[in-house]
Amino acid sequence: MTAITASDEIVLEQPCPIRDVLDRIGDQWSLLILEALAPGTRRFNALMRDIGDISKQMLSRTLKQLEQDGFITRTLYPEVPPRVEYTLTPLGRSFLEPMQQLVTWADTHHRTIVAARLRYQAAQA
Amino acid sequence: MTAITASDEIVLEQPCPIRDVLDRIGDQWSLLILEALAPGTRRFNALMRDIGDISKQMLSRTLKQLEQDGFITRTLYPEVPPRVEYTLTPLGRSFLEPMQQLVTWADTHHRTIVAARLRYQAAQA
DNA sequence: TTCCAAGGTCTACATTATAGACCGTGTAAA
DNA sequence: TTTACACGGTCTATAATGTAGACCTTGGAA
């Protein structure tokens, strides 16, 4: 990809719908943020604390993308200091269901995966 | 993260099982590769073609990680030119189910997301 | 007068991905 | 005979991306 893109350009659509969606939510942080918003509305710094090791820039950028794609809404209360709340939209909530399946799978098979890593490591030695 | 790691070191386990699993399959390529393997066994270059825009290095590296975590097996046939086949393990196949939910969701809501992008873009202007 | 909060942005640096050359081996075409 | 190609990679230089942390704003409290 050598495409020259303006920093905030929105790529409207990719040929493959699955790629189009997975490219966005299949990154380092999106799923984690959506999961953090599952219990309800959260503020910026609260999300920072929830997730723990995300940088401000990535949280900001990823939230912007999720807003762009209609997963979440951003509400700014013009107070001082400012308050900004992020909430899942109906689309975002609807995504929770397949995601929950994924999380459940992860939880169920976690031990199997760790065991596989051990086996692999042993086989290399 | 300033941890010094040998290039092929295996991180055996992270504190949070969900993070542990999502950090691996929630990258640019893993889901796409697993999807490409869903119909059945595939060879290296076939996967390259299926996915289209993955680099050799990333395909190689991601396959290695998926093998490590027990999602796929790698079988080398000592012919010339060499033949290497990648196949989903039972664990990998079991992952297909929640992933299929995700893919179905993506397919279903794709148009809604594109519409959201358009709205967002209009709102910025 | 100085400090802090929240929610960011900006910049310098570190990490990671990409493109593409290169490798080895055997078969086939020129 | 030399050359070309296939496959499944690895290696290297460069480009893209992520991180840490300084900085910004504005009003209230110490």
Side-chain angles (χ1 to χ4, degrees):
Chain A
M1 286 283 195
T2 326
I4 294 138
T5 53
S7 59
D8 285 337
E9 184 184 329
I10 302 175
V11 176
L12 281 176
E13 195 169 359
Q14 278 200 288
C16 169
I18 291 150
R19 286 294 295 269
D20 195 19
V21 175
L22 288 192
D23 275 4
R24 281 303 178 85
I25 55 96
D27 65 7
Q28 186 80 189
W29 300 115
S30 294
L31 289 178
L32 254 18
I33 292 175
L34 292 174
E35 213 206 339
L37 286 173
T41 297
R42 294 298 270 162
R43 297 174 63 174
F44 189 89
N45 281 339
L47 288 170
M48 286 279 287
R49 281 188 296 273
D50 291 347
I51 296 174
D53 58 345
I54 189 172
S55 65
K56 279 171 170 235
Q57 193 172 65
M58 283 312 291
L59 180 55
S60 171
R61 187 183 301 172
T62 309
L63 285 168
K64 209 172 282 177
Q65 287 179 358
L66 290 173
E67 188 196 359
Q68 207 169 268
D69 283 7
F71 286 79
I72 61 175
T73 55
R74 175 184 188 274
T75 313
L76 165 67
Y77 296 86
E79 307 166 354
V80 171
R83 180 160 57 104
V84 179
E85 292 188 342
Y86 293 94
T87 309
L88 291 174
T89 61
L91 180 74
R93 271 195 302 281
S94 87
F95 179 75
L96 249 41
E97 201 181 322
M99 197 179 79
Q100 192 48 53
Q101 302 275 101
L102 214 74
V103 169
T104 301
W105 187 94
D107 221 18
T108 305
H109 295 83
H110 179 236
R111 306 209 65 67
T112 308
I113 292 170
V114 174
R117 283 179 199 160
L118 279 166
R119 257 199 312 285
Y120 188 93
Q121 198 180 42
Q124 297 314 81
Chain B
M1 288 277 199
T2 325
I4 294 139
T5 55
S7 59
D8 285 337
E9 184 183 331
I10 302 175
V11 177
L12 282 176
E13 194 169 359
Q14 277 199 290
C16 170
I18 292 150
R19 286 294 294 266
D20 194 18
V21 176
L22 289 191
D23 275 4
R24 281 301 179 86
I25 56 96
D27 65 7
Q28 187 79 190
W29 301 114
S30 293
L31 289 179
L32 254 16
I33 292 175
L34 292 174
E35 213 205 339
L37 287 173
T41 296
R42 294 298 270 163
R43 297 174 62 175
F44 189 89
N45 281 339
L47 288 170
M48 286 278 288
R49 282 187 296 273
D50 292 346
I51 297 173
D53 58 345
I54 188 171
S55 65
K56 281 170 168 236
Q57 193 171 64
M58 283 312 290
L59 180 55
S60 171
R61 187 182 302 173
T62 309
L63 285 169
K64 208 170 283 178
Q65 286 179 359
L66 290 173
E67 188 197 357
Q68 205 168 271
D69 283 8
F71 285 79
I72 62 176
T73 55
R74 176 183 187 275
T75 312
L76 164 68
Y77 296 87
E79 306 166 358
V80 171
R83 181 160 55 103
V84 179
E85 292 188 341
Y86 293 94
T87 309
L88 292 173
T89 61
L91 180 73
R93 270 196 303 283
S94 86
F95 179 74
L96 248 41
E97 200 181 322
M99 197 179 77
Q100 192 47 55
Q101 302 275 102
L102 214 74
V103 168
T104 302
W105 187 94
D107 222 18
T108 306
H109 298 284
H110 178 236
R111 306 208 64 68
T112 310
I113 291 171
V114 174
R117 283 178 199 160
L118 279 166
R119 257 200 313 286
Y120 188 93
Q121 197 179 43
Q124 297 314 82

